[in-house]
């Protein structure tokens, strides 16, 4: 089965075509600057990356261009569009309505629209992607894979905020969590690599990228995670503040003469290690700056590590133990020094890191020593493959 995996943003659209039998990526790329001018990036498996500037007034034209590239007689990877058996859409917020991957129909679209309040930047863009694909690929089944779905197993004590209960009842204000597809894929993969039943392990997954979150997975179920109602809560991230005393927002708003939208803009886009360092949101730049004597860059890295440590410690406590800790995403997979800084403070859990193994970048690897009480691993995430697998599962059940 060939699955087109779509991750649609407000002005961009990332795609992959995956053969689900071999799990080979046949082609991948993205459309950028949709509604502005338009650029298609297309790369067939084993081929050169092609970049084409072309008008893309809406996502429908973007999807059309992707499909044209896929069936292009010279560089395409499909003979015809009939070879696309299903489309898997990443949908950011499924609220409480979606605890599982779902075949998309009008009812599902309406339910996702109802969650728009909770993800005003993401859900409308995701739905535009669904509509564009429906228009251009009529009759091809569409499947929604939700970032929030994996975390719907969290117990009330983990997802409720300590605010008046009626805000949860009336407005569904609660922790939802994100990166669910990644946390689920990585925790399952770790169990597979270790040859242990998924439902026998207590795992903490650290998804450390530009957006970052930690998840506690107990016996294959998400029981807590660091992101909340929105992806702003939790760890200090590239440009997001993570946890902050809410009264600091009013204080800064008054001093800087900002309204709520202005404050949220600062917390989402001008904060995190970028705001702390004044250098960059990219950890590679921070490392360079830090080791060239930039104190703020060094401090920003330490603040980040400290925030990860607090979540790992918290989840080891709330799960009453931990068997496996996984590092994933851009930073988690590639930055051995940050992993070492984190693990140096986990000796109290009986964790010992093998310095040589920890040199790994972007590969599955156990980085703890054989006598470490907790197995620490690098497990590269693959959200597109996870979306493809879930899409196929739903189509086969149909
Ligand atoms: P992601 O959001 O998962 O793509 O991760 C992006 C972040 O990962 C970047 O901001 C970098 O800080 C970090 N990153 C990516 N590649 C490397 C690398 N080779 N070494 C260190 N950090 C990296």
């Amino acid at each position: 089965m060939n699955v087109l995996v779509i991750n649609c943003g407000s002005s961009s659209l990332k795609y992959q075509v995956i053969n689900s039998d071999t799990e080979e990526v046949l082609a991948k790329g993205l459309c950028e600057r949709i509604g502005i001018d338009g650029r298609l990036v297309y790369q067939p498996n084993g081929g050169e990356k092609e970049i084409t500037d072309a008008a893309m007034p809406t996502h429908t034209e973007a999807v059309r261009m992707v499909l044209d590239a896929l069936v292009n007689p010279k560089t395409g990877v499909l003979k015809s569009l009939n070879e696309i058996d299903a489309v898997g859409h990443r949908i950011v917020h499924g609220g409480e309505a979606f605890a599982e991957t779902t075949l998309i129909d009008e009812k599902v679209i309406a339910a996702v629209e109802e969650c728009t309040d909770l993800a005003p930047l993401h859900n409308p863009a995701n739905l535009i992607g669904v509509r564009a694909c429906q228009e251009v690929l009529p009759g091809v089944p569409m499947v929604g894979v939700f970032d929030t779905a994996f975390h719907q197993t969290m117990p009330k004590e983990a997802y409720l905020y300590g605010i008046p209960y009626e805000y949860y009842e009336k407005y569904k204000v609660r922790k939802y969590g994100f990166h669910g597809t990644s946390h689920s894929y990585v925790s399952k993969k770790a169990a597979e690599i270790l040859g242990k039943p998924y439902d026998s392990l207590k795992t903490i997954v650290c998804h450390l990228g530009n957006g970052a979150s930690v998840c506690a997975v107990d016996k294959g179920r998400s029981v807590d995670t660091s992101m909340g109602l929105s992806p702003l809560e939790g760890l200090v991230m590239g440009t997001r503040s993570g946890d902050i005393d809410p009264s600091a927002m009013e204080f800064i708003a008054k001093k800087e003469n900002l309204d709520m939208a202005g404050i949220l803009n600062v917390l989402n886009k001008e904060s995190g290690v970028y705001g702390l360092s004044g250098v960059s949101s990219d950890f590679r730049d921070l490392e360079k700056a830090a080791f060239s004597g930039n104190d703020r860059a060094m401090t920003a890295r330490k603040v980040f590590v400290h925030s990860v440590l607090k979540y790992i410690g918290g989840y080891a406590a709330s799960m009453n133990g931990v068997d496996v800790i996984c590092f994933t995403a851009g930073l988690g997979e590639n930055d051995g020094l940050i992993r070492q800084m984190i693990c140096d403070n986990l000796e109290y859990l009986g964790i010992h890191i093998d310095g040589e193994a920890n040199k790994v970048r972007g590969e599955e690897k156990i980085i703890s020593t054989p006598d470490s009480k907790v197995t620490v691993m690098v497990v590269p995430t693959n959200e597109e493959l996870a979306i493809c697998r879930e899409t196929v599962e739903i189509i086969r059940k149909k």
Side-chain angles (χ1 to χ4, degrees):
M1 202 183 267
N2 290 327
V3 179
L4 174 61
V5 175
I6 296 279
N7 181 355
C8 200
S10 54
S11 68
S12 70
L13 182 154
K14 288 190 203 143
Y15 65 92
Q16 285 194 4
V17 181
I18 303 176
N19 176 323
S20 67
D21 303 318
T22 59
E23 299 201 331
E24 182 191 2
V25 178
L26 303 181
K28 64 180 179 182
L30 79 155
C31 298
E32 293 174 293
R33 301 176 60 83
I34 302 169
I36 306 166
D37 37 28
R39 168 173 296 168
L40 171 75
V41 180
Y42 171 76
Q43 185 169 29
N45 186 10
E48 293 285 305
K49 197 185 264 186
E50 295 168 16
I51 299 177
T52 315
D53 288 324
M56 288 176 198
T58 71
H59 287 72
T60 308
E61 286 83 16
V63 173
R64 280 217 171 91
M65 284 201 65
V66 170
L67 297 178
D68 285 348
L70 292 173
V71 296
N72 180 300
K74 275 195 195 141
T75 51
V77 292
L78 305 174
K79 288 198 188 75
S80 89
L81 294 182
N82 293 336
E83 291 180 21
I84 296 177
D85 300 295
V87 184
H89 292 270
R90 175 189 183 214
I91 298 183
V92 167
H93 216 310
E96 288 190 325
F98 299 102
E100 280 173 5
T101 295
T102 308
L103 195 65
I104 297 176
D105 58 17
E106 286 307 312
K107 261 197 198 153
V108 168
I109 290 180
V112 173
E113 265 162 4
E114 271 184 33
C115 302
T116 292
D117 259 7
L118 296 169
L121 297 180
H122 294 99
N123 274 24
N126 299 157
L127 284 180
I128 288 171
V130 172
R131 290 288 190 210
C133 287
Q134 282 177 328
E135 195 179 330
V136 182
L137 291 169
V140 176
M142 308 275 152
V143 172
V145 182
F146 299 88
D147 263 18
T148 47
F150 182 58
H151 303 299
Q152 279 297 303
T153 48
M154 284 190 291
K156 268 196 169 167
E157 59 269 29
Y159 73 69
L160 283 180
Y161 293 124
I163 56 175
Y165 193 73
E166 65 253 35
Y167 297 156
Y168 167 59
E169 289 181 310
K170 283 199 281 190
Y171 313 123
K172 298 286 173 220
V173 175
R174 51 160 282 182
K175 181 186 277 279
Y176 289 96
F178 298 85
H179 292 141
T181 315
S182 176
H183 289 301
S184 159
Y185 175 87
V186 168
S187 53
K188 248 185 229 149
K189 187 85 192 172
E192 207 180 291
I193 295 166
L194 296 172
K196 301 222 167 122
Y198 191 35
D199 61 7
S200 72
L201 294 174
K202 293 176 181 181
T203 305
I204 296 175
V205 180
C206 305
H207 177 114
L208 309 180
N210 196 26
S213 67
V214 182
C215 179
V217 185
D218 194 358
K219 302 187 181 75
R221 293 158 69 85
S222 169
V223 291
D224 207 347
T225 191
S226 57
M227 283 178 170
L229 175 85
S230 83
L232 182 55
E233 190 183 345
L235 302 177
V236 171
M237 304 178 220
T239 62
R240 286 176 233 162
S241 63
D243 300 329
I244 180 171
D245 179 347
S247 49
M249 306 207 307
E250 194 212 14
F251 187 85
I252 298 166
K254 275 191 185 147
K255 297 276 182 204
E256 294 279 318
N257 199 20
L258 290 168
D259 60 8
M260 192 51 99
I263 277 288
L264 283 175
N265 191 52
V266 171
L267 296 182
N268 273 301
K269 299 194 176 146
E270 295 172 22
S271 300
V273 291
Y274 167 73
L276 282 168
S277 68
V279 172
S280 173
S281 60
D282 191 303
F283 275 77
R284 288 164 288 196
D285 300 335
L286 287 183
E287 185 176 331
K288 249 189 240 153
F291 290 104
S292 315
N294 184 319
D295 280 348
R296 273 174 58 186
M298 184 64 89
T299 302
R301 283 161 54 86
K302 287 184 181 167
V303 172
F304 173 78
V305 166
H306 186 74
S307 76
V308 178
L309 277 171
K310 286 197 292 187
Y311 275 98
I312 292 177
Y315 293 161
S318 64
M319 286 197 289
N320 194 16
V322 52
D323 302 306
V324 184
I325 295 177
C326 300
F327 289 101
T328 195
L331 185 64
E333 290 169 27
N334 292 299
D335 196 327
L337 193 51
I338 288 284
R339 289 192 301 254
Q340 185 73 56
M341 284 167 75
I342 294 168
C343 293
D344 278 349
N345 264 293
L346 297 175
E347 265 180 21
Y348 72 99
L349 290 174
I351 287 179
H352 299 291
I353 294 299
D354 174 340
E356 200 50 40
N358 188 36
K359 287 182 181 157
V360 69
R361 281 175 186 271
E363 272 172 53
E364 287 164 12
K365 184 128 191 156
I366 295 173
I367 60 168
S368 50
T369 55
D371 66 341
S372 178
K373 285 209 181 102
V374 177
T375 307
V376 184
M377 314 172 68
V378 171
V379 180
T381 192
N382 191 337
E383 287 168 279
E384 289 78 12
L385 179 58
I387 291 173
C388 168
R389 284 180 182 167
E390 298 216 1
T391 300
V392 170
E393 209 179 306
I394 293 292
I395 300 291
R396 296 230 158 105
K397 270 194 217 152
K398 213 167 51 128

